[in-house]
Amino acid sequence: MESAATSETAAAEQVKGQPRGQAPVPLSILDLSPVGTRNTAAEALQTTTELARSAEEWGYHRFWVAEHHGMPGIASSAPAVVIAHLAAHTTRLRLGSGGVMLPNHSPLVVAEQFGTLQALHPGRIDLGIGRAPGTDQATARALRRTRSVSADDFPQQLGELIGFLDDSFPLDHPYAAIQSVPRGQRPPIWLLGSSGFSAQLAGELGFPFAFAHHFSAQNTLPALELYRQSFRPSELLDEPYALIGVQTIVADTDEEALELARPIALGMLKLRKGMPGKQPTPQEAREYPYTELDLSFMESWLADAVYGSPETVREQLDELQERTGVQELMLTAQIPQREAKLHSFELVAKAYRMV
């Protein structure tokens, strides 16, 4: 079996150092398998598979899927299952979770799932971990089968996950005799966040950090600064490594991109109002009876998103990367229409001469 140091060195090489064409930093994809009012969850997952295949050809660095429950507009509820499927349909692309919501699961189960993925597809798996349940408390209890599900237990759960992956529990720990199988080279662990808590913890542990700029843009710069200030070199990383998720919608013209962006903003508006549903169509977005407060939210959401023609989007992404200083950009687009979604990511790749 590899030593912990050898395992960490290999994992560090997997975090960084991929070709990126003409982009200033590596570009990656976060896909939530959005379900629209005119497509099914099965079709959304098929589109995710096709996008992963294409992303590999277009030169994207990594491809992550997320965990969501009880949301009709998102088909990604089981990241480990989707990752295994995507890995079987690609050959080089890094695949991972953006993320697994640790409060919903036993750390041992997560260690076994991602240990299995790493054994099946060595050197291609990322384990992104979030501290929020990502759903309502009733659903969280149904997932974990406990009365209390709290993000406050996250540091302990994370410690247990690392212990299972590395077989590193102290001899007097209650779980010291338990073995997570298969076990070998640990996949790189990323901490995900939309505030300062995970940023500081990632820094203190020397882990790479992924920030959800696409739904918490006002906290991006403070969280990144906290991560960098808190960073302590580890066997995994000598210096901070951060990426941000960016809602990125691209079409042939600025006007067409705005037509695709408005329905995504409307979907977020409905979610904030406690009315989660399938992703609206552009026509539904045009005809929705907005209040003044609704329009204010829509304007604010669009201001934080990146959308437009390839030239417009490249300029905005370059500016965002320079302003934040991140080492990687992870693009996401809640576009349910298959052709428009594939076209959007292909246009980015062509804009940066990745293909």
Side-chain angles (χ1 to χ4, degrees):
M1 182 176 294
E2 294 177 286
S3 69
T6 301
S7 175
E8 294 287 6
T9 300
E13 292 173 352
Q14 295 162 20
V15 171
K16 303 181 287 186
Q18 295 296 315
R20 57 178 181 266
Q22 299 298 312
V25 294
L27 300 182
S28 298
I29 295 174
L30 169 66
D31 190 44
L32 277 59
S33 302
V35 183
T37 55
R38 296 183 182 177
N39 69 326
T40 65
E43 290 169 337
L45 290 167
Q46 289 169 4
T47 299
T48 292
T49 305
E50 188 172 354
L51 178 59
R53 286 199 199 104
S54 299
E56 184 169 76
E57 297 175 4
W58 295 333
Y60 283 93
H61 178 27
R62 69 181 93 237
F63 191 105
W64 283 1
V65 296
E67 176 186 350
H68 292 272
H69 301 279
M71 299 183 67
I74 296 177
S76 61
S77 59
V81 176
V82 178
I83 291 168
H85 175 76
L86 298 179
H89 287 79
T90 54
T91 58
R92 305 178 308 279
L93 187 66
R94 291 200 60 80
L95 299 161
S97 55
V100 167
M101 301 295 104
L102 195 54
N104 296 338
H105 309 283
S106 157
L108 176 57
V109 170
V110 177
E112 291 176 336
Q113 290 175 343
F114 280 80
T116 301
L117 287 169
Q118 183 78 337
L120 289 169
H121 307 282
R124 295 183 58 201
I125 303 300
D126 296 324
L127 175 50
I129 295 293
R131 66 182 286 261
T135 187
D136 61 273
Q137 284 294 312
T139 303
R141 285 194 297 272
L143 287 163
R144 192 70 185 272
R145 303 296 295 172
T146 60
R147 290 183 177 274
S148 175
V149 179
S150 173
D152 295 338
D153 299 328
F154 180 74
Q156 177 184 342
Q157 292 171 330
L158 180 62
E160 291 177 6
L161 174 62
I162 295 170
F164 285 126
L165 286 169
D166 291 349
D167 192 20
S168 58
F169 287 113
L171 292 177
D172 60 349
H173 194 280
Y175 297 153
I178 299 175
Q179 291 192 4
S180 170
V181 180
R183 185 177 66 246
Q185 179 185 309
R186 181 221 289 177
I189 296 177
W190 290 70
L191 293 195
L192 281 56
S194 57
S195 63
F197 183 93
S198 292
Q200 182 171 352
L201 183 58
E204 292 173 351
L205 293 173
F207 284 0
F209 177 57
F211 185 82
H213 175 80
H214 53 299
F215 63 80
S216 188
Q218 71 278 9
N219 291 326
T220 301
L221 293 178
L224 291 174
E225 181 63 22
L226 182 58
Y227 170 61
R228 292 164 183 148
Q229 290 178 349
S230 305
F231 186 83
R232 300 173 185 169
S234 67
E235 292 179 322
L236 179 60
L237 291 175
D238 294 328
E239 56 189 22
Y241 190 96
L243 67 78
I244 56 174
V246 187
Q247 190 74 235
T248 308
I249 303 102
V250 195
D252 294 323
T253 67
D254 290 349
E255 292 75 16
E256 290 174 297
L258 181 57
E259 278 289 287
L260 293 172
R262 282 199 187 103
I264 304 174
L266 175 57
M268 287 300 300
L269 171 64
K270 288 185 172 183
L271 179 63
R272 293 291 179 90
K273 296 173 78 170
M275 302 183 300
K278 294 186 175 183
Q279 289 293 316
T281 65
Q283 181 177 350
E284 290 168 337
R286 287 192 297 270
E287 296 174 354
Y288 187 81
Y290 299 98
T291 66
E292 288 297 322
L293 198 58
D294 293 341
L295 290 173
S296 176
F297 174 87
M298 296 282 287
E299 182 179 351
S300 175
W301 188 93
L302 289 169
D304 292 332
V306 172
Y307 62 91
S309 67
E311 296 77 13
T312 299
V313 165
R314 175 166 180 165
E315 181 179 341
Q316 293 181 20
L317 288 177
D318 288 350
E319 186 279 330
L320 180 61
Q321 188 279 324
E322 184 176 355
R323 177 159 49 89
T324 59
V326 292
Q327 286 72 35
E328 189 171 335
L329 295 173
M330 179 163 277
L331 315 184
T332 186
Q334 284 291 86
I335 304 172
Q337 301 94 334
R338 172 188 165 277
E339 291 185 4
K341 181 177 180 177
L342 292 169
H343 189 51
S344 179
F345 285 105
E346 184 178 16
L347 287 175
V348 174
K350 287 182 175 179
Y352 282 106
R353 300 178 185 175
M354 295 161 58
V355 290

